[in-house]
Amino acid sequence: MRIILPEKVTFLLERLERHGFEGYAVGGCVRDSILGREPSDWDITTSASPRQVKEIFPKTFDTGIQHGTITVLLEKEGFEVTTYRVDGEYEDGRHPREVRFTSQLLEDLKRRDFTINAMAYNETKGLVDAFGGVEDLKGGILRCVGKAEERFEEDALRMMRAVRFCAQLGFSMEEKTARAICRLAPSLERISAERIQVELVKLLESPHPDWIRQAWEYGITAVILPEFDRLMEQDQNNAHHVYSVGEHTLETLRNVRSDKILRLAMLFHDMGKPSIATVDEQGIYHFRGHAARSEVLAKQIMKRLKFDNETLTKVCRLVQNHSLYPETTPEGVRRAVCQVGEELFPLFLEVKRADILGQNPAVWEQKLAYLDQVRQIYEEILKRGDCLSLKGLAVTGRDLIADGVHPGKGMGELLELLLDEVLKDPSRNTREQLLELGRKLRR
Ligand code: ATP
Ligand code: MG
């Protein structure tokens, strides 16, 4: 098997060899190359010690020197070069107590998580595949290196990685690996929120975000996202739906494009339903006010998983507004854009579409036609350049002060009133008209 290495990687490996060391491209880049996918980065493994790596290459910085990783800079591009290592005993299902360096490539490959991630390649030796990685790539199977239970006991995060790789690559989980996950999922409790967040996002962004259903079956979500388990248990017998809330959520995940904000918004959009469900005499389910409740939960969960504020704010805003139905008039749509936010409105339309496609097919045609109408009106509004926010008003607070308005609390209210007028009738958005209107409103 031949892999085409980038020039800089070849240079790096040759240079290591010329100094008497071994060097290989390893892990994800080898896996992705064999699959014909573009590797996201090229990791190098070597018999040289971190100190020796630093002596060989003029520009380096210490990335994780205690784990043997040095970043080598080649014309501003960084490559992580890690000394062959063996992870010592794991004390807590998270961190090896110590790492030991070794001169054996095989030892290093053995500590890696999955067969498809445990291959190395260089031009001298070709592909080193000691655990059947190529075979598993061909068969589309995710399998641990060594005994699955032991590997998950060492590092519980590997269970989420296993699910994530299946979702990214469209693979199936090897039987013993799956059984080990079912047994050991509770130990994910010890993994930090940050590491869980990274894996959850990668899973959601993958071509098969609905693998979160599998994570639920394995008992993973029970630990990292118990709110999702409530969704899977929640029926919703009414005219709009043919699935449980959980199955509906999965369907909407499949129907929205791969984007972190959109996928998170779909994951959370109905999360509030279980806690506010009511059933009437006819056995019909109602979820009044669920969007607001979903937003509360989304915020709580995203804080718990240590999401950044920007992501949290955007996702919450989409969740909160997902059951907004703008009136199909220019004013109605302008008001909706103002409420959702100019930047988020295109995503809002995508959320609505995915939500509809996750509902009873009998309602699609009518609801999609409605959404098309909203989109058309929205596009006309954009083309005309209608004012859609305070930023777009033809007067600013400063203009109003110059016109005799007291700066302070009343100012904000006055601007809101002016915006309200302009949303109704964009032709009023001129300086003269707004100053005049401002004077009238003050009287
Ligand atoms: P991607 O970068 O596309 O997410 P990757 O396979 O490169 O996938 P990384 O997290 O970048 O994943 O790790 C690089 C390599 O290090 C992996 O291919 C694997 O060999 C090894 N590895 C990473 N995390 C673990 C882990 N928790 N346990 C064992 N080996 C791991
Ligand atoms: Mg990687």
Side-chain angles (χ1 to χ4, degrees):
M1 179 134 357
R2 180 103 204 284
I3 289 176
I4 314 274
L5 301 174
E7 244 171 71
K8 286 179 189 151
V9 174
T10 306
F11 169 83
L12 216 155
L13 297 180
E14 276 176 2
R15 187 118 184 206
L16 284 167
E17 282 189 14
R18 226 173 320 121
H19 283 80
F21 301 106
E22 295 172 7
Y24 291 86
V26 71
C29 60
V30 176
R31 175 196 70 220
D32 289 343
S33 297
I34 296 174
L35 285 172
R37 302 158 71 102
E38 176 94 34
S40 55
D41 42 30
W42 291 82
D43 294 330
I44 310 296
T45 186
T46 180
S47 58
S49 72
R51 219 194 50 227
Q52 288 163 331
V53 172
K54 285 163 76 163
E55 279 165 12
I56 295 173
F57 297 97
K59 279 199 189 132
T60 63
F61 54 90
D62 297 358
T63 317
I65 197 155
Q66 68 284 30
H67 298 110
T69 304
I70 301 289
T71 296
V72 172
L73 277 181
L74 299 176
E75 292 165 23
K76 293 193 182 146
E77 193 178 350
F79 294 89
E80 289 196 355
V81 179
T82 306
T83 304
Y84 294 164
R85 66 175 222 226
V86 186
D87 294 339
E89 233 176 275
Y90 281 73
E91 49 195 331
D92 54 0
R94 280 184 305 183
H95 307 296
R97 197 191 297 274
E98 39 152 32
V99 303
R100 188 157 58 69
F101 297 134
T102 165
S103 60
Q104 303 300 315
L105 170 66
L106 229 59
E107 290 290 314
D108 181 89
L109 295 179
K110 228 197 278 180
R111 70 164 172 95
R112 294 175 184 269
D113 45 11
F114 307 112
T115 58
I116 61 169
N117 285 347
M119 293 181 280
Y121 182 89
N122 70 19
E123 252 130 51
T124 322
K125 293 279 169 59
L127 184 73
V128 180
D129 172 20
F131 308 102
V134 171
E135 202 185 319
D136 284 343
L137 278 183
K138 283 199 181 129
I141 290 171
L142 197 99
R143 185 196 315 267
C144 282
V145 171
K147 289 216 172 79
E149 299 223 344
E150 287 172 16
R151 306 316 308 281
F152 295 143
E153 272 165 9
E154 287 168 359
D155 179 1
L157 188 75
R158 288 173 187 157
M159 294 184 274
M160 282 195 75
R161 285 173 60 85
V163 171
R164 181 261 283 195
F165 283 119
C166 284
Q168 282 180 329
L169 304 172
F171 278 24
S172 36
M173 197 75 78
E174 180 262 337
E175 180 76 34
K176 279 188 195 142
T177 308
R179 248 184 287 140
I181 297 178
C182 289
R183 207 173 77 72
L184 293 168
S187 59
L188 272 165
E189 185 195 66
R190 295 184 297 225
I191 300 297
S192 74
E194 289 84 351
R195 292 179 82 204
I196 287 182
Q197 184 216 113
V198 169
E199 289 303 323
L200 179 64
V201 168
K202 285 187 176 178
L203 166 58
L204 289 174
E205 286 177 327
S206 77
H208 302 283
D210 48 353
W211 257 86
I212 195 166
R213 187 181 202 291
Q214 207 62 45
W216 166 70
E217 281 186 357
Y218 291 152
I220 290 177
T221 57
V223 185
I224 63 155
L225 197 63
E227 296 87 351
F228 185 78
D229 292 41
R230 303 293 86 71
L231 279 191
M232 294 303 288
E233 294 150 8
Q234 180 64 53
D235 281 334
Q236 50 177 350
N237 169 29
N238 63 34
H240 302 281
H241 289 284
V242 283
Y243 310 112
S244 71
V245 182
E247 296 296 343
H248 159 72
T249 297
L250 293 169
E251 200 53 35
T252 65
L253 279 170
R254 288 181 204 112
N255 285 321
V256 87
R257 86 187 141 90
S258 166
D259 170 86
K260 180 175 168 180
I261 303 292
L262 283 173
R263 292 268 166 94
L264 284 167
M266 293 337 295
L267 175 66
F268 294 133
H269 81 286
D270 277 349
M271 218 140 228
K273 277 188 171 178
S275 62
I276 55 145
T278 56
V279 189
D280 66 20
E281 311 85 64
Q282 277 95 45
I284 306 292
Y285 282 75
H286 300 279
F287 305 98
R288 299 229 166 77
H290 76 274
R293 179 72 195 139
S294 295
E295 192 218 348
V296 171
L297 284 178
K299 194 167 181 179
Q300 217 171 295
I301 295 165
M302 294 181 78
K303 285 219 155 126
R304 188 174 78 214
L305 292 177
K306 306 262 164 56
F307 276 88
D308 60 281
N309 265 326
E310 194 191 330
T311 305
L312 184 144
T313 309
K314 286 183 177 167
V315 171
C316 283
R317 203 139 175 204
L318 288 171
V319 170
Q320 174 194 20
N321 286 301
H322 84 271
S323 46
L324 173 71
Y325 284 87
E327 259 181 57
T328 49
T329 61
E331 180 183 346
V333 175
R334 281 194 295 268
R335 289 196 182 280
V337 177
C338 184
Q339 179 175 329
V340 175
E342 284 180 278
E343 188 201 350
L344 279 179
F345 198 77
L347 295 190
F348 164 79
L349 292 176
E350 291 188 75
V351 166
K352 298 285 288 181
R353 182 168 180 281
D355 193 10
I356 292 168
L357 291 176
Q359 298 179 12
N360 185 348
V363 305
W364 286 2
E365 199 184 321
Q366 186 212 340
K367 289 193 178 182
L368 289 174
Y370 158 79
L371 199 60
D372 262 351
Q373 240 183 313
V374 173
R375 187 189 300 275
Q376 263 173 32
I377 297 171
Y378 172 61
E379 276 162 15
E380 284 158 21
I381 285 169
L382 285 187
K383 223 187 283 160
R384 269 200 309 269
D386 291 356
C387 162
L388 297 165
S389 66
L390 287 175
K391 269 199 315 236
L393 276 184
V395 293
T396 62
R398 208 176 286 177
D399 296 328
L400 292 174
I401 291 168
D403 203 52
V405 179
H406 281 296
K409 191 167 135 273
M411 169 72 76
E413 283 166 29
L414 184 54
L415 282 166
E416 290 291 344
L417 285 172
L418 294 178
L419 176 60
D420 192 71
E421 286 299 322
V422 167
L423 289 173
K424 242 184 261 165
D425 178 2
S427 75
R428 307 201 70 171
N429 194 25
T430 65
R431 205 180 130 81
E432 301 73 49
Q433 289 188 79
L434 291 183
L435 287 178
E436 160 123 23
L437 188 62
R439 284 179 214 127
K440 225 185 267 165
L441 287 166
R442 257 137 65 207
R443 260 188 244 125

